[in-house]
Amino acid sequence: MDVSGHGGDGGRGRPAAPPENLRFMEIEHKHVVGDGFDLERFRQAVRALQPIRSGTMRVRDRYYLTEGGRSRRFLFRHRYDTELHHLTIKALERDTEVRTEVNLDLGHHVGSQEEQVEAFVGQLGVVWSATLHKALEVWYFADCEVVYYEASTAASSVRCVEFEATHKDSLNGALEIVQRFERATGFEGTSRSHRSLPQILFPELDAMFAGR
């Protein structure tokens, strides 16, 4: 999700350590919602589940595709916001339900380090990069993060709801957690996106992997 922080991307709670095979795996469902989505009704359904805490924030994500990432299907992402400062590797799987995600916590003590990150990743041979912005709401539970966000670039935008299991004793157990929250908020049986957010907002990415 990248609020696993924020829909991505784990890192705020302290759940029990997952088994080694799931330690660096993100397990989530993403649903793209349209203009008719009843956001207030969704908020009420999530609040009724009594989250541990909730929050709103704005996020800037900078993505990089390197030469190695193109051959092995992964992106780097640099995120700096009020809660997280991560450099992340995110796999580009055929389905985003289960994929590799490895976060390096850069900390907030010296600021965003944008120039340092740019120079670091640049040494790996950047072949594409782009930035997107998110305005998001997140609800934290003991075993799941639920996120609603509006993500945008200069050319396009999308609204999504994501459910990410943060308690991962097993793959089936984590998927059951995701499905339980979908069921409780009206998403059971609805179609979900199998594509990552960068692929949705930057369609040129798929062309860069054509034939690979």
Side-chain angles (χ1 to χ4, degrees):
M1 174 178 301
D2 256 321
V3 196
S4 292
H6 336 310
D9 321 358
R12 290 182 171 72
R14 297 294 181 191
E20 193 62 28
N21 66 318
L22 296 179
R23 183 180 178 192
F24 298 115
M25 302 301 290
E26 179 183 56
I27 302 169
E28 71 169 22
H29 284 176
K30 176 195 287 91
H31 298 265
V32 176
V33 298
D35 293 338
F37 178 62
D38 191 336
L39 178 55
E40 188 53 41
R41 182 176 180 180
F42 175 72
R43 287 173 175 144
Q44 292 173 2
V46 178
R47 290 171 188 149
L49 300 175
Q50 299 183 326
I52 296 169
R53 64 188 180 97
S54 62
T56 61
M57 64 197 75
R58 300 191 69 85
V59 175
R60 173 189 178 274
D61 287 337
R62 179 74 172 171
Y63 286 91
Y64 302 90
L65 177 64
T66 63
E67 294 169 358
R70 184 162 57 180
S71 65
R72 299 184 61 184
R73 297 189 65 88
F74 68 81
L75 294 174
F76 283 97
R77 185 192 67 196
H78 180 223
R79 168 174 291 173
Y80 180 80
D81 61 36
T82 56
E83 293 194 16
L84 294 178
H85 187 196
H86 282 173
L87 182 62
T88 301
I89 284 180
K90 294 181 75 71
L92 290 172
E93 304 289 358
R94 303 298 179 185
D95 185 352
T96 58
E97 182 178 61
V98 182
R99 60 175 173 165
T100 299
E101 177 183 277
V102 184
N103 294 300
L104 295 179
D105 189 349
L106 303 183
H108 284 79
H109 58 292
V110 291
S112 69
Q113 302 184 68
E114 291 178 24
E115 292 182 358
Q116 292 92 329
V117 169
E118 192 93 15
F120 180 92
V121 180
Q123 296 301 307
L124 303 176
V126 174
V127 297
W128 174 90
S129 64
T131 300
L132 62 83
H133 296 84
K134 286 182 183 177
L136 63 88
E137 301 178 48
V138 55
W139 296 267
Y140 303 96
F141 297 86
D143 54 1
C144 190
E145 287 181 2
V146 179
V147 183
Y148 166 80
Y149 62 82
E150 299 177 14
S152 61
T153 69
S156 60
S157 63
V158 67
R159 298 196 299 161
C160 299
V161 171
E162 294 185 357
F163 303 89
E164 179 181 357
T166 54
H167 185 78
K168 298 178 285 188
D169 279 346
S170 68
L171 177 56
N172 286 340
L175 290 173
E176 287 174 2
I177 289 169
V178 169
Q179 292 160 4
R180 172 162 50 86
F181 278 85
E182 287 177 315
R183 187 162 53 249
T185 56
F187 279 89
E188 184 179 34
T190 64
S191 61
R192 62 178 178 84
S193 174
H194 293 246
R195 302 168 71 221
S196 69
L197 183 60
Q199 289 171 295
I200 293 172
L201 288 177
F202 304 107
E204 68 270 21
L205 263 181
D206 285 337
M208 299 185 76
F209 290 101
R212 292 179 179 269

